[in-house]
Structures are given as C-alpha cells and as structure tokens.
C-alpha cells in the first residue's frame, strides 16, 4: 500500500516570497491533516479536512496561509508571503474515518522549508 | 486544547539498557498515540491506547495508559541503536475524530 506522498522534500525561499506544498493521501482516507513542526517542537495542527470540507482551521494563520483539498483527494498548502518564522517541516497526514472511532494517522515524509 | 507534557526532553542510553518515556495530560484522554520520528523524516505510528489500564507491546516496546487515562509511559527493553529517534505522544480528549495534539517529543540516542 502506498503511503502519504509529499512534495517537494526541501524548499528554500526568501522572505516575502510564496511557496506551495502538495500532498497525496493514502487511497480511501477521507481525513487529511496539515501540521507544522518547528525545530525542537511537536507537530502543530494547521488544518484538518474531512473529504473536501474543513473540520478545523483554528490554528491556521489565514492572513498568509491557505489550503485546499479539491475533489477530496490531493491537497495543497500555500504560504504567501513567507516570513522567517515559517521555517519548519510541514507534515501531511491522512486517516480513515470509522464512525466515531479514532484511527491512527499516517504521515508523509514532510517538506522542510527554510525561509532566508 | 489538550496540553501534553513529555519527560525527559532528551535521553542518552547505552545499548542494552532499558528506558522509560512519560507523557502526562491535565485532561482525561480518549485516545493516546505513540509515534516515532527519525530525524528529518515523517512520523511512524507505534501504538494506540484507549482504555484505562491498557498495555500494549510490540517487539521490545511496551506502552501503558494509567487507570485515570491521564498518563502514559513508553518502555523500551534492551535498547538498540535502531531505537534512536524522537518519540512523540499525541492525544485527543474527544471521541469525535479531532486531530491529535502532540507533546514536544523525547529525543533518544543509543550509544554503542
């Protein structure tokens, strides 16, 4: 079974530039998450999708971050304009939804963003 | 939101030694998840605990959830260099499919 695919693996941009990350979840997984992991910290949820609807985006800095999941499969996360503090690893994860049972999330390899 | 405290922050052990990592919450947990992260890579699922007093083992790793469902421990027996990495606990207090909140992680280094 193919895992969660993310691209690119690494990205270096200058501050005020824009950047986009792509995620392809495991086939059949209705729930997709984007997390931000700053060095030395645990992952922090940015946004959670259920199919193509947003479940939780309360921690997404909406003035500069946006995300979409068209057709309920692939997702893109965009930052525009980037700031130095956006330097982090951006992790995409997906999970099955089975009623109200929590199921484990499967993570991609992440995209390491460096803003200079 | 769920606040998870992990201890210790980092750990260096000699190969063959046992070790324990703790994860504590101020709120009752519905589900407690343990993940391992190799440096610069994604998270690998280890175990999920849901019932008070539950204990699960996989190879040399054992995870426990206390009766009050507010504290979990991860125990590694006879550590090996392959156990090195960052161990993260994640949890959600609600039976609603909400995303996991994570602790800051415990960095483990196993020396020969």
């Amino acid at each position: 079974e193919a895992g969660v695919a993310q691209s690119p693996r690494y990205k270096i941009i200058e501050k005020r530039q824009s950047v986009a990350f792509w995620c392809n979840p495991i086939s059949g997984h209705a729930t997709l998450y984007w997390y931000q992991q700053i060095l030395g910290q645990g992952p922090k949820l940015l946004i959670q999708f259920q199919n193509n609807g947003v479940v939780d985006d309360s921690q997404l800095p909406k003035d500069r971050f946006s995300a979409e999941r068209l057709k309920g499969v692939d997702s893109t996360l965009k930052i525009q304009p980037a700031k130095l503090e956006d330097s982090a690893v951006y992790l995409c994860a997906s999970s099955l939804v089975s009623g109200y049972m929590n199921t484990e999330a499967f993570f991609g390899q992440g995209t390491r963003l460096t803003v200079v | 939101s769920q606040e998870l405290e992990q201890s210790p922050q980092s750990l260096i052990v000699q190969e063959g030694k046992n070790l324990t990592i703790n994860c504590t919450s101020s709120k009752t947990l519905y589900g407690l998840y343990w993940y391992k992260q190799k440096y610069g890579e994604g998270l690998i699922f280890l175990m999920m605990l849901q019932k008070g007093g539950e204990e699960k083992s996989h190879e040399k790793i054992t995870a426990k959830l206390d009766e009050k469902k507010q504290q979990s421990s991860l125990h590694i027996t006879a550590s090996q260099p392959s156990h090195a990495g960052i161990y993260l606990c994640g949890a959600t207090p609600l039976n609603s499919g909400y995303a996991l909140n994570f602790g800051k992680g415990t960095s483990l280094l196993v020396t020969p």
Side-chain angles (χ1 to χ4, degrees):
Chain A
E1 179 182 271
V4 177
Q6 287 189 248
S7 66
R9 282 297 309 275
Y10 306 93
K11 191 74 177 177
I12 301 174
I13 61 172
E14 295 183 349
K15 58 184 179 183
R16 291 187 288 274
Q17 284 188 323
S18 62
V19 64
F21 312 127
W22 174 82
C23 174
N24 181 238
I26 293 173
S27 177
H29 281 195
T31 307
L32 185 147
Y33 316 84
W34 282 102
Y35 284 86
Q36 179 194 58
Q37 186 177 24
I38 292 172
L39 187 64
Q41 302 287 319
K44 183 187 84 170
L45 179 72
L46 293 175
I47 189 167
Q48 177 183 354
F49 291 96
Q50 179 73 19
N51 295 310
N52 59 352
V54 175
V55 173
D56 182 3
D57 64 355
S58 58
Q59 298 189 88
L60 186 74
K62 298 180 185 64
D63 57 333
R64 297 184 301 106
F65 286 64
S66 64
E68 61 182 10
R69 191 183 184 197
L70 299 175
K71 300 181 182 179
V73 182
D74 293 7
S75 177
T76 56
L77 176 69
K78 297 179 181 178
I79 307 175
Q80 182 179 9
K83 293 185 175 181
L84 296 176
E85 59 260 36
D86 297 331
S87 294
V89 175
Y90 290 84
L91 295 162
C92 179
S94 69
S95 66
L96 285 168
V97 175
S98 176
Y100 285 92
M101 289 293 294
N102 284 324
T103 58
E104 67 268 27
F106 295 85
F107 283 78
Q109 294 279 65
T111 296
R112 182 176 297 276
L113 174 67
T114 302
V115 182
V116 299
Chain B
S1 64
Q2 188 83 44
E3 294 289 337
L4 295 172
E5 294 286 334
Q6 283 190 241
S7 63
Q9 280 189 317
S10 63
L11 203 50
I12 302 174
V13 299
Q14 194 173 19
E15 184 175 357
K17 298 293 185 182
N18 303 335
L19 64 107
T20 300
I21 297 168
N22 294 301
C23 177
T24 303
S25 169
S26 57
K27 300 178 181 178
T28 300
L29 304 166
Y30 174 75
L32 189 288
Y33 298 70
W34 283 100
Y35 283 84
K36 179 184 175 184
Q37 185 177 31
K38 287 284 193 182
Y39 296 102
E41 298 185 10
L43 280 64
I44 300 169
F45 172 74
L46 295 175
M47 278 172 275
M48 175 179 70
L49 305 166
Q50 286 192 299
K51 298 176 183 177
E54 187 174 8
E55 179 176 320
K56 287 186 178 179
S57 294
H58 177 66
E59 296 180 343
K60 295 185 178 180
I61 301 177
T62 300
K64 300 178 184 180
L65 182 62
D66 75 335
E67 290 290 343
K68 291 184 178 180
K69 296 174 65 175
Q70 286 188 284
Q71 186 167 358
S72 179
S73 61
L74 187 80
H75 184 78
I76 299 177
T77 304
S79 59
Q80 301 169 353
S82 61
H83 288 128
I86 300 170
Y87 289 83
L88 292 151
C89 65
T92 174
L94 301 172
N95 180 18
S96 62
Y98 285 167
L100 297 177
N101 291 318
F102 286 93
K104 291 185 176 181
T106 295
S107 177
L108 172 63
L109 180 63
V110 180
T111 62

